[in-house]
Amino acid sequence: MLSSPILVSLTLFLSLPLVLFFSPQILHTSYLPFTPDTHDQTLFRRATATAAHTTTTTTNSTPKIAFLFLTNSNLSFAPLWEKFFSGHRHLFNIYIHADPSSSVADPGGVFRRRFIPSKKTNRASPSLISAARRLLASALVDDPRNQYFALVSQHCVPLFSLRFVYNYLFGHPIQRSFIEILSNETNLHDRYVARGENAMLPEVPFEEFRVGSQFFVLTRRHAAVVVRDRKLWRKFRLPCMTEEPCYPEEHYFPTLLSMEDRQGCTGFTLTRVNWTGCWDGHPHLYTPPEISPELVRRLRLSNSSYPFLFARKFSPECLAPLMEIADDVIFRDFIETRNL
């Protein structure tokens, strides 16, 4: 008869194939385990303290828009954005979170040395939430004049001039965040229970769970809400337990801001995306033959009272045709948008 230690070892050895077989179902492969980071913790504390003592009334300087670039590849559309930013240096700041494993090149110009300390990101994982929070915190600490925070990716392009975007955001008498907040998506419950049947409780009951585009434009007040949050972040950093990704980056921000200040949010994103014919969670990718003045005008229009100011997702090869129509179409918005 085998002794107890030998029997236990033999049982563990024989069970190893089963563990390897079922591990993809137990822990989704896109999940990056959360590890506390001293730099992040210090940054978020500084950002929270800075935001608490800074409001629109504490500075007489011209307010700015913080453009937050979240990328894992080179900024292919840097020349187009450079043209967008040209002549308006006093109206914006730029911050770039680049996946350090991707060797993203510094494009120079207005982007020079605008990279923040970054960590690896993976699609459909809490790492994208962490990256966006780092960008928000960095912008809060860096300049008290940052009053709006626009999250964009390397695949995003502007649909209007910076002057139009600036006037549109600051032209409203009450500052509100532009973030998509949806509660009636067909697979919302499946995403809610993706971490376990009761994993989100008690902090996030299903009735409060929301979904929306990960690309937003937040007010300074709401940026501060995000960086000081600990309660919901502890839930959304949990790994997905199902084969189907739970896309935490599409849920954390709309759920948090809906619970904290739904009236302070428009419920709409300002970044247009085409989900026609999408697969595996990827939106339509525009290619050079599709680029035209008509496409730009069409992308600007929305079903709400808010026009789209940015659009995605464009292949790098679209840069040349976009540059060809930049001056005469994209940045001649004051003529094209009279009736918006």
Side-chain angles (χ1 to χ4, degrees), residues 194-250:
R195 299 169 184 82
E197 192 69 32
N198 299 311
M200 303 299 288
L201 295 175
E203 288 85 353
V204 187
F206 176 67
E207 298 75 34
E208 301 283 0
F209 192 63
R210 299 291 183 266
V211 64
S213 168
Q214 72 177 102
F215 299 101
F216 50 66
V217 178
L218 300 187
T219 62
R220 189 174 182 89
R221 179 164 56 92
H222 286 158
V225 168
V226 171
V227 298
R228 73 166 176 260
D229 171 60
R230 299 292 181 271
K231 184 172 68 173
L232 265 64
W233 170 232
R234 283 195 293 269
K235 292 296 184 177
F236 281 94
R237 77 188 187 202
L238 296 174
C240 303
M241 305 297 287
T242 60
E243 291 185 49
E244 179 65 24
C246 49
Y247 299 105
E249 72 277 13
E250 296 180 1

Side-chain angles (χ1 to χ4, degrees), residues 251-270:
H251 294 278
Y252 172 74
F253 299 101
T255 299
L256 172 63
L257 294 180
S258 177
M259 293 177 68
E260 288 283 339
D261 183 21
R262 179 62 182 88
Q263 296 304 310
C265 303
T266 64
F268 297 94
T269 179
L270 295 178

Side-chain angles (χ1 to χ4, degrees), residues 73-74 76-77 154-155 285-286 288 314-322:
S73 64
N74 287 335
S76 302
F77 297 106
Q154 74 273 34
H155 301 294
L285 179 67
Y286 292 102
F314 292 80
S315 69
E317 296 76 21
C318 290
L319 175 62
L322 284 169

Side-chain angles (χ1 to χ4, degrees), residues 65-81:
I65 303 172
F67 286 87
L68 317 176
F69 286 83
L70 176 57
T71 184
N72 60 3
S73 64
N74 287 335
L75 298 178
S76 302
F77 297 106
L80 182 65
W81 284 103

Side-chain angles (χ1 to χ4, degrees), residues 81-89 92 110 162:
W81 284 103
E82 188 87 38
K83 186 178 284 288
F84 171 81
F85 290 124
S86 179
H88 303 293
R89 192 66 191 87
F92 70 91
V110 295
L162 175 58

Side-chain angles (χ1 to χ4, degrees), residues 168-201:
Y168 185 85
L169 293 176
F170 289 103
H172 290 81
I174 300 177
Q175 287 193 14
R176 300 173 72 193
S177 287
F178 294 85
I179 179 170
E180 189 172 49
I181 300 176
L182 304 174
S183 59
N184 57 353
E185 294 299 283
T186 55
N187 65 344
L188 195 65
H189 185 264
D190 291 339
R191 293 195 183 194
Y192 178 75
V193 299
R195 299 169 184 82
E197 192 69 32
N198 299 311
M200 303 299 288
L201 295 175

Side-chain angles (χ1 to χ4, degrees), residues 108-140:
V110 295
F111 295 96
R112 188 181 304 279
R113 295 193 296 273
R114 300 308 300 168
F115 290 76
I116 69 167
S118 306
K119 296 180 71 174
K120 183 175 175 56
T121 56
N122 250 24
R123 178 172 170 264
S125 85
S127 64
L128 289 176
I129 299 175
S130 295
R133 295 179 81 220
R134 281 186 209 103
L135 283 164
L136 289 167
S138 298
L140 282 168

